[in-house]
């Protein structure tokens, strides 16, 4: 794997649990990843895979309780965030790293104008006057290409369309020019034509500011369009990590392969979709050994008992499958 | 999917379907000040055993079409013929009989199942409304059969919805839709709330049930890839109207309407290399409000080809004049004055 020095963000063996009435849910079970400045890392996974919880732990916005970071380190620009006081973490949020949420309508305050919400960033973090902050808000809205920004700065979130609201979310995340942006399903709630507009804007701004970007998504199509690297999560772990091209060409984990085979393609009309059998595991009772083994077409005895580490497939790739070589080799196995 | 052609006798025939929701002002003296033109002149046919996919972005009226087809809403104008009979004018017994034959599967498996009812009661409820469909003593067995058909354990009849996952709940919704042995199923975004790996299971199930029960589907979704996978024919909706309709290869490989082309080009394809060969058309702006539909062609405000004629003249949904004498795949109905073929999805390489 890649050398760690110089990474903007380095997550090491992170573990997060949720203590609930019914038991302890192991949401994140030893996740490690790195993001460099200017790089886009896509974290791909289905619901319950722990992709959002990992991001919330990085941002420091985990609901505690019931959530609790029980192990690991989060190094941001060399500092371990988990050892910082809440006051210091608050300063990093916004100025050092910022988050874009999926649902802009519920992430924005409905009774405060968007101008005031954007301006608040400058009042709180930079100690600006309200008037100057308003000017900054207009500037930001122009930067994310909201038409007639100077007039619309007084409008409330409900007066904007979904795509425009998501632009406001992006503007808010960019306000203090953070080094890292975490976007949690930023375009999932949007229509496909608007999705493309928003994704393009985000990619362009990322290049302009040379930010690190963590893109959390379940959509393999969106990932292919913008990511440099992909980390695939399953049951709170990274099961495969690779540069984006490699993973689409030849996945080295049966879960990734199943996912790729199970999505209908716009450019192909198949008759039967490959379906991964069964359901994602209950996080309170994660299967022993490889957590994917009950659904895996390649599973053998060793998979039921021994948990696979993230094997090194090449200098830039890793796969948490005992049989990653076979997975790479006989690509026709699943079709039979 | 069967290879039925649209020339077979249609089971559903929709003509000039319109649904306007009035906007009123005033409390005592209500005055109509406008209307939300949710569906504004839709025509299509559905052949027996066929799947018609309807795609469009939010607000295009596709869900309103679903409600109209199931008679959950009365249209403002137009007709829906089920086996030749206009069902929009029916009431009482005749309406009830038709409803048995057109059933709906909903998008959200979390809110469309009553949390206080057992699965057996949910799937069996249609029999309370249509007691002639199953004799009382036979119902439990039928419900268990249905559970088995959709791939759930028949022993689950006494469980409650919260004990199931999203994909399993959608199977329950499908079993309920099948209970009365309908001929047409209208599915409104049936898999969009499900995870990718579970989506495939549900789509394969719907595929299998179609041949098993000789069903005709109207499959409504915003995901163009899924619609292509399941549909024989596809209609693309924009602001209350179908702008282009044809067989799946005609729409996906030979689109002639600029909106369809933009929509297709915007879909992310899970293949970084295919992506580089694609030209992307990024539309500017948002969909106009359905209360204030542009004159002439309703897509002209976002169209890069729009000209004077598009402001004045409403384009009809018909085979465009340029293709009328050809027999190629571009010769399908497209509501554009300046229709031209443009390949936006890279051709299949395998």
């Amino acid at each position: 794997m890649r050398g760690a020095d110089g990474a903007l963000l380095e997550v090491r063996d992170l573990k997060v649990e949720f203590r609930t009435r019914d038991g302890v849910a192991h949401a994140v079970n030893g996740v490690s990843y790195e993001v460099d400045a200017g790089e886009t890392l896509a974290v791909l996974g289905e619901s319950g895979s722990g992709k959002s919880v990992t991001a919330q732990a990085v941002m420091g916005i985990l609901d505690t309780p019931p959530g609790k970071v029980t192990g690991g380190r989060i190094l941001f620009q060399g500092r371990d965030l988990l050892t910082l006081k809440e006051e210091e973490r608050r300063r990093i949020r916004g100025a050092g790293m910022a988050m874009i949420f999926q649902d802009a309508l519920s992430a924005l305050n409905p009774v405060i104008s968007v101008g005031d919400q954007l301006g608040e960033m400058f009042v709180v973090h930079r100690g600006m006057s309200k008037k100057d902050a308003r000017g900054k808000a207009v500037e930001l809205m122009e930067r994310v290409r909201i038409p007639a920004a100077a007039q619309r700065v007084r409008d409330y979130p409900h007066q904007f369309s979904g795509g425009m609201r998501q632009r406001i979310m992006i503007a808010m995340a960019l306000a203090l020019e953070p080094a890292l942006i975490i976007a949690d399903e930023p375009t999932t709630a949007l229509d496909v034509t608007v999705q493309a507009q928003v994704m393009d804007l985000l990619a362009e701004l990322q290049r302009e500011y040379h930010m690190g970007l963590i893109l959390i998504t379940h959509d393999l199509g969106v990932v292919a369009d913008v990511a440099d690297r992909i980390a695939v999560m399953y049951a709170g772990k990274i099961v495969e990590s690779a540069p984006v091209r490699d993973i689409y060409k030849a996945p080295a984990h049966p879960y990734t392969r199943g996912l790729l085979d199970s999505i209908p393609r716009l450019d192909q009309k198949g008759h039967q979709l490959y379906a991964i059998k069964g359901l994602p595991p209950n996080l309170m009772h994660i299967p022993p050994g490889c957590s994917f083994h009950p659904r895996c077409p390649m599973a053998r005895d060793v998979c039921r008992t021994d948990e696979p580490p993230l094997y090194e497939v090449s200098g830039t790739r890793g796969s948490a499958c005992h049989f990653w070589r076979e997975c790479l080799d006989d690509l026709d196995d699943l079709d039979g | 999917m069967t290879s039925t052609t649209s020339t077979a006798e249609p089971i559903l025939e929709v003509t000039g379907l319109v649904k306007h929701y009035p906007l009123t002002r005033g409390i005592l003296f209500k005055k109509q000040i406008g209307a939300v033109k949710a569906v504004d002149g839709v025509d299509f046919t559905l052949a027996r055993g066929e799947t018609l996919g309807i795609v469009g972005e939010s607000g295009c009226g596709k869900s309103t079409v679903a409600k109209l087809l199931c008679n959950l809403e009365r249209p403002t104008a137009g007709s829906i013929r089920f086996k030749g009979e206009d069902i929009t004018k029916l009431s009482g017994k005749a309406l009830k009989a038709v409803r048995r034959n057109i059933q709906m599967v909903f998008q959200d498996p979390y809110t469309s199942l009553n949390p206080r009812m057992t699965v057996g009661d949910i799937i069996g409820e249609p029999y309370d409304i249509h007691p002639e469909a199953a004799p009382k003593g036979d119902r439990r067995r039928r419900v268990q059969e249905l559970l088995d058909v959709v791939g759930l354990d028949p022993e689950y009849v006494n469980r409650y919805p919260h004990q199931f996952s999203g994909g399993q709940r959608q199977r329950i919704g499908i079993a309920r839709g099948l209970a009365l042995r309908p001929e047409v199923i209208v599915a409104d975004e049936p898999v969009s709330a499900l995870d990718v790996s579970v989506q495939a299971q549900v789509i394969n199930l719907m595929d299998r049930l179609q041949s098993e029960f000789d069903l005709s589907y109207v499959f409504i979704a915003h995901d163009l890839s899924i619609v292509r996978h399941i549909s024989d024919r596809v209609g693309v909706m924009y602001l209350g109207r179908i702008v282009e309709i044809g067989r799946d290869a005609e729409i996906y490989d030979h689109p002639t309407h600029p909106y369809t082309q933009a929509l297709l080009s915007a879909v992310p394809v899970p293949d970084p290399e295919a992506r580089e060969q694609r030209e992307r058309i990024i539309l500017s702006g948002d969909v106009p409000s359905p209360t204030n539909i542009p004159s002439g062609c309703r897509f002209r405000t976002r169209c890069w080809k729009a000209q004077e004629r598009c402001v004045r003249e409403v384009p009809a949904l018909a085979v465009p004049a340029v293709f009328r004498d050809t027999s190629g795949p571009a010769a399908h109905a497209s509501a554009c004055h300046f229709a031209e073929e443009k390949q936006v999805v890279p051709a299949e390489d395998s």
Side-chain angles (χ1 to χ4, degrees):
Chain A
M1 302 259 110
R2 219 162 30 127
D5 20 280
L8 174 64
L9 174 80
E10 199 189 330
V11 177
R12 280 275 154 265
D13 203 26
L14 187 71
K15 294 190 172 83
V16 181
E17 292 178 356
F18 285 85
R19 307 230 156 102
T20 68
R21 261 190 320 183
D22 304 327
V24 179
H26 303 276
V28 179
N29 306 305
V31 161
S32 304
Y33 59 61
E34 286 144 35
V35 187
D36 285 332
E39 185 187 42
T40 301
L41 170 73
V43 180
L44 186 82
E46 300 182 273
S47 33
S49 63
K51 58 190 194 303
S52 296
V53 174
T54 308
Q56 286 166 4
V58 170
M59 276 299 284
I61 53 170
L62 208 58
D63 278 332
T64 26
K68 191 169 189 287
V69 176
T70 53
R73 297 196 300 166
I74 301 170
L75 298 169
F76 178 67
Q77 294 173 327
R79 288 205 288 174
D80 188 350
L81 297 182
L82 295 173
T83 62
L84 297 183
K85 290 201 192 70
E86 180 50 34
E87 175 58 29
E88 286 171 287
R89 289 206 77 175
R90 200 169 65 83
R91 267 198 296 262
I92 291 176
R93 270 199 296 274
M97 56 170 78
M99 192 152 176
I100 298 168
F101 297 91
Q102 169 174 2
D103 184 358
L105 192 57
S106 54
L108 293 168
N109 189 328
V111 295
I112 300 178
S113 72
V114 296
D116 285 350
Q117 292 189 58
L118 286 167
E120 196 185 3
M121 304 283 290
F122 298 99
V123 177
V124 172
H125 283 272
R126 298 270 192 270
M128 272 189 196
S129 72
K130 274 205 145 183
K131 193 169 159 248
D132 293 346
R134 163 78 36 120
K136 278 283 195 185
V138 175
E139 213 175 277
L140 276 173
M141 285 169 72
E142 279 165 355
R143 192 159 304 161
V144 294
R145 287 187 225 112
I146 292 175
Q151 283 92 58
R152 301 215 66 185
V153 70
R154 283 182 183 78
D155 285 356
Y156 290 86
H158 74 268
Q159 291 167 293
F160 291 86
S161 68
M164 287 296 152
R165 276 198 291 267
Q166 202 54 284
R167 284 168 195 260
I168 291 165
M169 290 292 295
I170 293 174
M172 200 175 278
L174 287 175
L176 304 175
E177 301 185 14
L180 175 71
I181 288 211
I182 303 177
D184 191 353
E185 304 268 10
T187 58
T188 307
L190 304 176
D191 278 319
V192 60
T193 55
V194 180
Q195 208 173 52
Q197 292 171 2
V198 170
M199 246 9 266
D200 276 14
L201 174 72
L202 194 58
E204 189 190 311
L205 292 168
Q206 184 208 5
R207 270 195 302 278
E208 197 181 319
Y209 292 96
H210 200 61
M211 295 177 296
L213 175 65
I214 299 178
L215 181 70
I216 298 166
T217 182
H218 70 280
D219 188 328
L220 284 150
V222 170
V223 172
D225 273 4
V226 294
D228 299 310
R229 282 191 308 127
I230 300 190
V232 182
M233 285 190 72
Y234 186 80
K237 278 204 187 116
I238 291 181
V239 294
E240 180 165 8
S241 150
V244 72
R245 274 168 185 280
D246 298 355
I247 228 164
Y248 286 91
K249 213 181 261 167
H253 194 284
Y255 175 63
T256 318
R257 202 155 99 189
L259 276 184
L260 280 169
D261 286 345
S262 66
I263 41 173
R265 293 266 305 249
L266 191 62
D267 49 355
Q268 287 166 19
K269 187 170 173 99
H271 281 282
Q272 175 93 11
L273 289 175
Y274 172 75
I276 302 177
K277 64 180 181 190
L279 299 169
N282 179 337
L283 295 175
M284 293 183 198
H285 310 283
I286 294 178
C290 170
S291 51
F292 185 60
H293 84 255
R295 306 178 72 190
C296 183
M298 295 167 55
R300 290 169 218 174
D301 286 345
V302 60
C303 306
R304 293 177 192 101
T305 51
D306 293 9
E307 190 184 322
L310 196 70
Y311 293 106
E312 191 173 315
V313 174
S314 73
T316 51
R317 291 189 74 168
S319 164
C321 176
H322 292 303
F323 303 105
W324 62 267
R325 276 200 183 82
E326 282 174 43
C327 192
L328 275 180
D329 289 347
D330 35 74
L331 274 166
D332 306 318
D333 199 33
L334 281 180
D335 301 332
Chain B
M1 263 142 289
T2 51
S3 56
T4 335
T5 58
S6 51
T7 48
E9 194 230 341
I11 189 159
L12 268 185
E13 198 177 353
V14 173
T15 324
L17 196 64
V18 173
K19 179 69 191 177
H20 290 178
Y21 295 95
L23 289 172
T24 56
R25 180 172 285 163
I27 299 159
L28 201 54
F29 300 101
K30 279 208 177 144
K31 201 168 74 182
Q32 188 174 339
I33 53 164
V36 176
K37 296 173 178 160
V39 176
D40 204 23
V42 161
D43 306 81
F44 63 82
T45 58
L46 177 71
R48 188 177 286 281
E50 180 187 52
T51 301
L52 173 70
I54 295 184
V55 286
E57 299 182 277
S58 34
C60 73
K62 56 192 194 298
S63 290
T64 308
V65 168
K67 285 183 199 157
L68 290 166
L69 292 177
C70 295
N71 247 299
L72 296 172
E73 294 269 9
R74 291 269 169 175
T76 310
S79 69
I80 301 167
R81 284 178 197 285
F82 174 73
K83 293 195 203 166
E85 183 183 26
D86 187 356
I87 60 171
T88 60
K89 304 283 190 303
L90 299 178
S91 60
K93 268 194 186 149
L95 176 61
K96 210 172 149 187
V98 165
R99 276 190 171 150
R100 241 189 93 170
N101 279 317
I102 307 176
Q103 290 285 312
M104 191 153 174
V105 173
F106 296 92
Q107 168 173 10
D108 187 349
Y110 297 87
T111 56
S112 61
L113 304 178
N114 188 335
R116 292 157 190 259
M117 282 167 74
T118 63
V119 167
D121 290 340
I122 289 171
I123 298 173
E125 200 182 15
Y127 298 133
D128 294 340
I129 299 155
H130 300 274
E132 74 284 0
K136 261 229 155 82
D138 199 28
R139 284 187 196 170
R140 197 183 160 79
R141 192 184 58 78
R142 289 233 187 165
V143 167
Q144 289 188 321
E145 262 175 33
L146 283 165
L147 279 172
D148 189 45
V149 159
V150 297
L152 292 172
D153 189 338
E155 298 301 310
Y156 289 169
V157 277
N158 292 321
R159 294 201 182 184
Y160 288 88
H162 74 266
Q163 294 171 291
F164 294 90
S165 70
Q168 289 173 323
R169 285 183 222 207
Q170 198 55 292
R171 287 170 192 264
I172 296 167
I174 292 172
R176 174 176 61 186
L178 288 175
L180 298 170
R181 290 286 157 95
E183 294 175 69
V184 176
I185 287 206
V186 179
D188 188 5
E189 300 269 14
V191 297
S192 58
L194 306 177
D195 268 320
V196 181
S197 71
V198 179
Q199 260 182 12
Q201 296 174 0
V202 173
I203 289 178
N204 287 341
L205 170 71
M206 290 188 67
D207 235 359
R208 182 175 56 103
L209 294 174
Q210 180 164 42
S211 38
E212 217 169 298
F213 294 96
D214 192 24
L215 294 166
S216 312
Y217 286 147
V218 176
F219 191 98
I220 293 169
H222 70 280
D223 186 320
L224 290 132
S225 314
I226 288 175
V227 167
R228 169 158 210 184
H229 181 82
I230 199 158
S231 307
D232 302 307
R233 282 192 309 133
V234 178
V236 181
M237 275 189 84
Y238 184 78
L239 262 188
R241 274 206 185 183
I242 291 181
V243 295
E244 185 165 6
I245 189 165
R247 299 192 59 77
D248 78 279
E250 292 171 344
I251 299 296
Y252 284 82
D253 299 335
H254 306 276
T256 64
H257 195 285
Y259 178 63
T260 312
Q261 290 163 358
L263 202 58
L264 286 171
S265 82
V267 176
V269 164
D271 182 348
E273 275 163 26
R275 191 217 163 189
E276 279 156 22
Q277 304 159 14
R278 294 169 76 201
E279 179 199 348
R280 293 211 300 165
I281 307 163
I282 305 261
L283 291 177
S284 56
D286 291 305
V287 183
S289 161
T291 55
N292 187 14
I293 289 176
S295 67
C297 171
R298 51 196 64 209
F299 181 60
R300 67 173 166 84
T301 54
R302 298 175 81 195
C303 185
W304 64 95
K305 287 197 218 167
Q307 292 180 27
E308 182 56 30
R309 186 177 166 201
C310 307
V311 182
R312 281 182 284 108
E313 229 180 288
V314 179
L317 181 63
V319 180
V322 273
F323 302 119
R324 211 158 285 160
D325 300 323
T326 64
S327 58
H332 59 269
S334 169
C336 178
H337 294 307
F338 304 102
E340 58 186 336
E341 214 182 319
K342 183 180 184 110
Q343 198 187 33
V344 282
V345 178
E348 197 173 329
D349 48 5
S350 56

